[in-house]
Amino acid sequence: MNMQELLQKRAKAIKAQEEIMSKAAGGLTAEMEKNFNDLQQEINECDRQIKMLEQVDENAKKNYGGSVFGNSGPAVHIDPVKDGAKDNGGFKSLGEVLHAIKYGDKKGRLENLKAQNTADGASGGYLIPEQFSDELLMVGEKRSLIRPFALVIPAGEYPDAPINMPALDYTVGNEGGVTVKWIEEGEEKPESNASFRNVELKPKEVAGFITVTDTLLRNAPASSTIFGQLLSNAIVRAEDRAFINGNGIGKPLGFATNGNGGKLVVQRETAGKVTTNDVANMMAAFPPEDIPDSIFLASSTILADLIKLQDASGRFVFVQGDLTKGIPTTLMGMPLFLTGMNASRGNTGDLQLVNLKKYLIKDGSGIYISMSEHVKFT
């Protein structure tokens, strides 16, 4: 029995217990008490098996970084191993960097940060040392929705240069330019010319502005914590919104926009409502080879519809996960994530089925920070 079946069985037993207690206003009969205890044994057994599956999954993660019963594996990061400790620019913390930018640095450490930027330090900003920049991005990635599942290409030696890569062209009527034919022994083989298209990833820039007090900047430990949280959260939200809904103009192209030529739209049985058949039709229209790596993204406005969905046998196809145990919420056995970035209920995109390993993210240079007391600094 897999994780989803165990969770469904457990939920069904708990519901049955609740029904028994609702009928016991005048007290429990011997039969009702027996049935309740039998259900409790069933729940305990489910808990035991769930714990065993969790242990198997934990062992598998340590072994090869995957997940046995979930599809929420780590992102595919093409990042070479770096030798030695990461550069901290001679600073102990991000707060110390911020303090130096605001009040100056007698040790001259800022000169190295300014030298890495093509603009003047006072107007173009200072590049945050690699150690702190990576820490911010790593903290943010834990809260990120899209990045952990996508194909992430590291910054590289020329972080802000466009990158081009060839890809087989699978647009309609051009199946990669490959002709497939069964032939008899000795028969002439069909000619095939692979058809390639060019994929170009261009750097985009995102900027944020925040007003702070001198008191906070003078407290390096406090400013490290506060600015670290603010920056990582801002980066995550800006990225996720663009990766889903970005129009590609000055920002990434989102997969939910009309610019995505691979997007399929499945018509609903009933407008403004999600049914089990709608979800099944989405899966039927999806490339079958992509299903094992795919996840559902849903607007929180359709949560009530999703919770009520049942299959032909009356089993709930929506199973609430447990984040404390690393168990994802699932729909039809596939991980489901609720967002505030999907279209609202009844609009195209309120429920999405995606294989994000097909989504490319190219990282650029790190985070630049500059400060000024001038009102028109923005």
Side-chain angles (χ1 to χ4, degrees):
M1 189 173 291
N2 61 33
M3 179 63 73
Q4 183 191 7
E5 291 171 338
L6 285 170
L7 291 171
Q8 288 178 332
K9 185 177 180 181
R10 187 179 187 277
K12 189 175 181 180
I14 293 175
K15 187 176 180 181
Q17 282 184 328
E18 292 173 347
E19 291 176 353
I20 291 174
M21 297 306 297
S22 67
K23 298 175 183 177
L28 286 170
T29 65
E31 182 180 1
M32 293 170 71
E33 188 170 352
K34 180 181 182 303
N35 290 339
F36 186 93
N37 291 332
D38 289 344
L39 289 167
Q40 187 59 49
Q41 290 183 7
E42 188 175 316
I43 293 170
N44 293 340
E45 177 60 22
C46 287
D47 288 338
R48 187 182 71 83
Q49 293 186 41
I50 288 172
K51 190 172 182 179
M52 291 172 65
L53 279 178
E54 290 172 353
Q55 185 61 59
V56 171
D57 189 61
E58 185 64 29
N59 293 338
K61 287 178 180 177
K62 291 178 181 178
N63 190 31
Y64 45 78
S67 176
V68 173
F69 58 82
N71 295 324
S72 54
V76 183
H77 287 275
I78 310 174
D79 199 356
V81 177
K82 298 180 180 178
D83 296 327
K86 293 183 178 180
D87 179 25
N88 61 11
F91 295 91
K92 296 180 181 179
S93 67
L94 173 62
E96 191 176 348
V97 177
L98 300 176
H99 185 278
I101 294 174
K102 178 66 171 72
Y103 299 107
D105 180 40
K106 296 180 180 179
K107 297 180 180 180
R109 293 169 294 182
L110 289 179
E111 290 302 312
N112 293 328
L113 304 185
K114 184 171 66 174
Q116 298 178 58
N117 192 358
T118 57
D120 177 69
S123 59
Y126 295 89
L127 179 65
I128 292 182
E130 179 188 29
Q131 176 181 330
F132 309 125
S133 183
D134 285 358
E135 286 175 0
L136 287 172
L137 294 175
M138 286 177 65
V139 169
E141 187 169 308
K142 293 179 181 178
R143 305 186 186 97
S144 176
L145 180 63
I146 307 303
R147 181 176 279 269
F149 295 97
L151 178 63
V152 181
I153 303 170
E157 190 172 352
Y158 302 99
D160 292 333
I163 182 173
N164 292 272
M165 61 185 72
L168 282 174
D169 192 347
Y170 281 97
T171 52
V172 177
N174 193 16
E175 300 300 323
V178 179
T179 303
V180 178
K181 179 182 178 183
W182 290 94
I183 59 175
E184 296 290 345
E185 184 176 357
E187 186 178 347
E188 185 177 351
K189 298 179 178 65
E191 290 187 6
S192 295
N193 292 309
S195 176
F196 290 93
R197 59 187 299 190
N198 182 56
V199 175
E200 183 181 46
L201 301 178
K202 295 181 178 180
K204 310 294 182 184
E205 184 173 334
V206 60
F209 175 78
I210 182 172
T211 302
V212 297
T213 63
D214 285 346
T215 304
L216 178 58
L217 284 176
R218 292 192 185 100
N219 187 335
S223 59
S224 289
T225 301
I226 294 174
F227 285 120
Q229 293 289 340
L230 288 173
L231 281 171
S232 61
N233 284 336
I235 291 169
V236 164
R237 293 186 67 81
E239 282 192 341
D240 280 346
R241 289 187 184 280
F243 294 157
I244 296 175
N245 299 312
N247 59 12
I249 302 174
K251 62 174 69 71
L253 179 65
F255 55 79
T257 60
N258 292 330
N260 176 12
K263 183 174 67 174
L264 301 174
V265 178
V266 177
Q267 297 298 323
R268 295 272 164 80
E269 286 188 335
T270 305
K273 182 180 179 181
V274 183
T275 67
T276 303
N277 285 342
D278 293 327
V279 180
N281 289 337
M282 290 178 69
M283 296 179 67
F286 206 72
E289 65 273 13
D290 286 339
I291 288 289
D293 295 322
S294 299
I295 63 173
F296 280 104
L297 299 176
S299 167
S300 55
T301 59
I302 65 169
L303 178 59
D305 284 350
L306 299 179
I307 291 176
K308 300 171 187 175
L309 298 182
Q310 299 182 37
D311 62 17
S313 302
R315 294 178 300 182
F316 289 97
V317 298
F318 174 93
V319 178
Q320 182 66 51
D322 186 344
L323 294 179
T324 63
K325 297 181 179 179
I327 303 173
T329 297
T330 61
L331 180 63
M332 294 287 199
M334 302 169 66
L336 168 73
F337 298 90
L338 295 173
T339 84
M341 303 170 200
N342 285 54
S344 59
R345 185 174 187 263
N347 295 292
T348 301
D350 57 1
L351 180 64
Q352 300 168 4
L353 177 60
V354 290
N355 176 8
L356 292 175
K357 288 186 178 180
K358 300 291 182 70
Y359 191 79
L360 303 179
I361 299 173
K362 167 63 172 69
D363 281 336
S365 57
I367 303 168
Y368 290 84
I369 286 187
S370 53
M371 298 187 186
S372 174
E373 297 176 355
H374 299 93
V375 177
K376 298 295 184 181
F377 177 53
T378 52

